[in-house]
């Protein structure tokens, strides 16, 4: 029986690398963004001004992914900021996945720029794991113009950890018998599943390295971090039984949220934003042929304080109007009157049961008619584009997209003639 071999493929500074490769190889622009302090960042004027990806030279200025663009520019006034282009990123991601499928059909896309490969038993085809990983890495660089790191192990967790070792354009191994030498000396915050809050609690216990965590008694960890303490203790000791899953698991919920370009101070505008979010959610539910039983609304106020509220529906649904009505009711119960900068609608308790709903003597809504209306609109939008049909209430709404949430239209592509 072959020893299990798992690769973790991770694009180096993905958004920035894809942006740089396109500008160099297709537009002929210099300098290469990867060689100077640069970053992909959101639009400050639309309150999406955060750093999405940064170059390696930008790291010298301690610029962090997720920090406000204005803070990054204070650290490095010469920082070059380019806008995101998700259409370009999706094309690069697909091109990379096409290459990976040439090596194995057991590919689990973990995110837009990461994947796990089960390479067990492929040594006769591609050579040793290190030789095969190097071949994959070099082929991606040669054909697509960007670099990746490849982590190799017999476990998914350890392969991912190995992929985060020295970058860029590297291959690293981290098998079970190597964790003492290669993983245990690392800071405990580097361990997968250890966030900043957990890291602070571990530091308070005197746990500084992954090795310290591995040697700590599980009872101590359980007392401070509950079940999570047991999970990360197991990870620190290299235990992981998860498998590469080529088939993506079913979604447990569908949601959308948006940061609004202006502070919302009236309920009617807020409910228009909620409608734009539920339009997108309903379309996704119907496309996947599922219904939901739970609706939740979240609010982030102008002072960045947040609140959320949820309810269970009497019947499972994927009807946009029904989800919107529930969202508005939740909003009325939740909103405290303060200015709003961010709204979200999330759904849960997903069901594949598409059977007809239970009729009620007191509810005269024609749900069958609403379902057919939604389906007709979906077909029109699928054929002619999402803007081909919209509700009349959005015609006078300049600042609210009628299908909101996810990746905004202005971030899906870039006019490089103006950049």
């Amino acid at each position: 029986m072959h020893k299990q071999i798992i690769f973790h493929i991770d694009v180096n500074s993905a958004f920035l690398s894809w942006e740089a490769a396109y500008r160099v190889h297709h537009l002929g622009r210099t300098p290469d963004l990867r060689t100077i302090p640069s970053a992909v960042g959101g639009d400050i004027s639309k309150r999406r001004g955060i750093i999405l990806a940064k170059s390696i030279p930008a790291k010298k200025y301690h610029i962090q992914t997720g920090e406000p663009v204005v803070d990054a520019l204070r650290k490095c006034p010469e920082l070059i900021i380019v806008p995101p282009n998700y259409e370009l990123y999706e094309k690069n991601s697909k091109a990379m996945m096409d290459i990976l499928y040439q090596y194995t059909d057991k590919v689990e896309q973990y995110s837009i720029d990461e994947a796990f490969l089960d390479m067990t038993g492929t040594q006769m085809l591609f050579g040793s794991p290190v030789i095969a990983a190097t071949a994959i890495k070099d082929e991606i660089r040669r054909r697509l113009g960007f670099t990746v790191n490849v982590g190799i192990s017999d476990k998914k967790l350890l392969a991912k950890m190995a992929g985060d070792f020295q970058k860029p354009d590297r291959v690293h191994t981290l098998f079970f018998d190597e964790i003492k030498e290669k993983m245990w000396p690392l800071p405990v915050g580097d361990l997968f599943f250890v966030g900043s809050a957990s890291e602070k609690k571990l530091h308070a216990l005197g746990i500084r390295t992954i090795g310290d965590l591995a040697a700590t008694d599980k009872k101590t960890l359980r007392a401070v971090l509950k079940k999570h303490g047991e999970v990360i203790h197991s990870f620190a000791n290299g235990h992981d039984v998860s498998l590469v899953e080529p088939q993506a698991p079913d979604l447990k919920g569908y949601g959308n949220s948006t940061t609004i370009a202006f502070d919302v101070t009236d309920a009617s505008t807020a409910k228009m934003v909620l409608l734009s979010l539920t339009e997108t959610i309903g379309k996704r539910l119907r496309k996947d042929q599922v219904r939901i039983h739970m609706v939740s609304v979240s609010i982030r106020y102008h002072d960045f304080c947040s609140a959320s509220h949820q309810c269970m529906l009497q019947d499972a649904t994927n009807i946009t109007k029904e989800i919107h009505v529930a969202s508005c009711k939740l909003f009325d119960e939740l909103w405290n009157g303060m200015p709003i900068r961010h709204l979200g609608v999330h759904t849960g308790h997903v069901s594949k049961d598409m059977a007809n709903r239970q009729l009620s003597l007191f509810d005269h809504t024609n749900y069958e008619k609403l379902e057919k209306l939604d389906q007709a609109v979906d077909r029109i939008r699928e054929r002619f584009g999402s803007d081909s049909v919209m509700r009349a209430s959005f015609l006078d709404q300049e600042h609210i997209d009628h299908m909101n949430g996810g990746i905004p239209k202005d971030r899906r592509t870039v006019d490089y003639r103006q950049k």
Side-chain angles (χ1 to χ4, degrees):
M1 185 175 179
H2 294 289
K3 177 181 180 181
Q4 182 168 261
I5 297 295
I6 294 175
F7 288 3
H8 176 254
I9 315 293
D10 186 12
V11 182
N12 301 133
S13 301
F15 291 178
L16 194 286
S17 291
W18 289 334
E19 212 40 83
Y22 182 77
R23 289 166 184 255
V24 169
H25 298 293
H26 295 274
L27 302 180
R29 294 187 181 177
T30 56
D32 188 325
L33 293 173
R34 291 167 289 193
T35 66
I36 60 175
S38 64
V40 176
D43 188 341
I44 299 174
S45 67
K46 295 181 180 178
R47 309 208 293 193
R48 305 187 193 115
I50 63 169
I51 299 296
L52 302 173
K54 60 188 181 298
S55 66
I56 290 177
K59 293 181 180 179
K60 297 177 183 178
Y61 295 88
H62 306 290
I63 291 168
Q64 302 293 322
T65 300
E67 76 172 319
V69 169
V70 290
D71 290 350
L73 288 171
R74 287 194 196 100
K75 296 176 182 177
C76 178
E78 297 79 27
L79 185 70
I80 301 298
I81 306 287
V82 297
N85 182 350
Y86 284 94
E87 189 174 280
L88 173 67
Y89 307 156
E90 289 169 358
K91 288 179 179 177
N92 276 273
S93 178
K94 183 182 183 305
M96 181 179 75
M97 294 301 159
D98 288 344
I99 290 176
L100 300 183
Y101 276 110
Q102 295 175 10
Y103 289 85
T104 176
D105 60 348
K106 297 179 180 178
V107 178
E108 176 185 340
Q109 184 165 357
Y110 189 66
S111 68
I112 193 171
D113 63 335
E114 290 181 82
F116 288 101
L117 280 63
D118 188 338
M119 295 290 288
T120 306
T122 64
Q123 286 89 331
M124 295 298 290
L125 292 172
F126 306 114
S128 71
V130 171
I131 290 174
T134 303
I136 292 173
K137 173 183 72 68
D138 292 347
E139 183 175 358
I140 290 172
R141 185 184 64 231
R142 183 179 67 255
R143 288 176 55 184
L144 304 181
F146 57 86
T147 63
V148 301
N149 264 39
V150 185
I152 305 171
S153 184
D154 49 353
K155 300 179 186 300
K156 284 176 70 174
L157 165 74
L158 298 182
K160 182 169 175 60
M161 290 293 297
D164 287 334
F165 290 165
Q166 188 181 10
K167 298 179 179 181
D169 199 27
R170 300 297 183 99
V171 171
H172 299 284
T173 64
L174 183 59
F175 290 101
F176 189 78
D177 58 2
E178 296 178 305
I179 63 173
K180 183 176 181 179
E181 173 192 353
K182 294 184 177 181
M183 189 172 80
W184 282 0
L186 297 175
V188 70
D190 286 357
L191 182 65
F192 182 59
F193 233 51
V194 175
S196 57
S198 297
E199 184 180 18
K200 290 177 182 177
K201 292 179 180 179
L202 293 171
H203 284 175
L205 294 174
I207 299 171
R208 296 285 173 178
T209 67
I210 297 177
D212 293 338
L213 176 60
T216 302
D217 182 66
K218 280 198 290 187
K219 292 181 179 178
T220 301
L221 295 170
R222 192 185 304 116
V224 176
L225 294 169
K226 307 296 189 293
K227 180 66 175 179
H228 184 65
E230 295 184 32
V231 172
I232 60 175
H233 180 268
S234 180
F235 284 174
N237 282 283
H239 300 309
D240 177 28
V241 296
S242 58
L243 302 175
V244 174
E245 299 178 3
Q247 185 68 36
D250 293 335
L251 291 175
K252 295 182 178 179
Y254 292 72
N256 263 332
S257 63
T258 184
T259 297
I260 308 155
F262 55 94
D263 283 344
V264 173
T265 56
D266 62 286
S268 61
T269 301
K271 290 175 181 179
M272 289 297 295
V273 175
L274 294 176
L275 177 57
S276 71
L277 294 170
T278 54
E279 281 275 20
T280 312
I281 294 171
K283 183 173 183 285
R284 291 171 58 202
L285 291 170
R286 293 185 292 274
K287 183 179 180 181
D288 289 352
Q289 296 187 313
V290 295
R291 295 177 176 176
I292 53 90
H293 265 287
M294 185 274 290
V295 177
S296 171
V297 166
S298 60
I299 299 174
R300 187 178 304 141
Y301 295 105
H302 71 115
D303 61 357
F304 291 92
C305 290
S306 299
S308 63
H309 195 26
Q310 69 179 46
C311 70
M312 296 296 295
L313 304 179
Q314 184 172 342
D315 295 285
T317 187
N318 57 20
I319 298 172
T320 297
K321 182 177 180 180
E322 197 170 5
I323 299 170
H324 180 237
V325 168
S327 300
C328 290
K329 184 175 183 294
L330 288 168
F331 175 82
D332 288 336
E333 295 171 357
L334 181 64
W335 187 38
N336 65 8
M338 291 177 61
I340 300 166
R341 65 174 283 123
H342 186 96
L343 279 169
V345 177
H346 302 274
T347 64
H349 293 242
V350 179
S351 170
K352 289 186 175 181
D353 182 8
M354 299 296 285
N356 293 328
R357 67 176 64 219
Q358 182 70 39
L359 295 177
S360 170
L361 292 173
F362 307 102
D363 187 352
H364 302 292
T365 305
N366 190 335
Y367 292 103
E368 183 180 358
K369 182 178 179 180
L370 290 174
E371 286 185 355
K372 289 181 178 179
L373 175 62
D374 278 341
Q375 291 164 4
V377 170
D378 290 343
R379 288 193 295 270
I380 294 171
R381 286 173 173 164
E382 188 67 31
R383 184 173 179 181
F384 300 105
S386 61
D387 294 334
S388 58
V389 59
M390 69 174 69
R391 296 175 191 268
S393 54
F394 284 104
L395 292 176
D396 296 326
Q397 294 287 341
E398 293 181 30
H399 304 295
I400 302 175
D401 186 350
H402 74 107
M403 295 190 72
N404 221 325
I407 299 169
K409 292 186 179 73
D410 63 338
R411 300 173 76 176
R412 293 205 63 82
T413 189
V414 170
D415 184 355
Y416 288 98
R417 294 170 300 181
Q418 301 177 16
K419 305 293 178 183

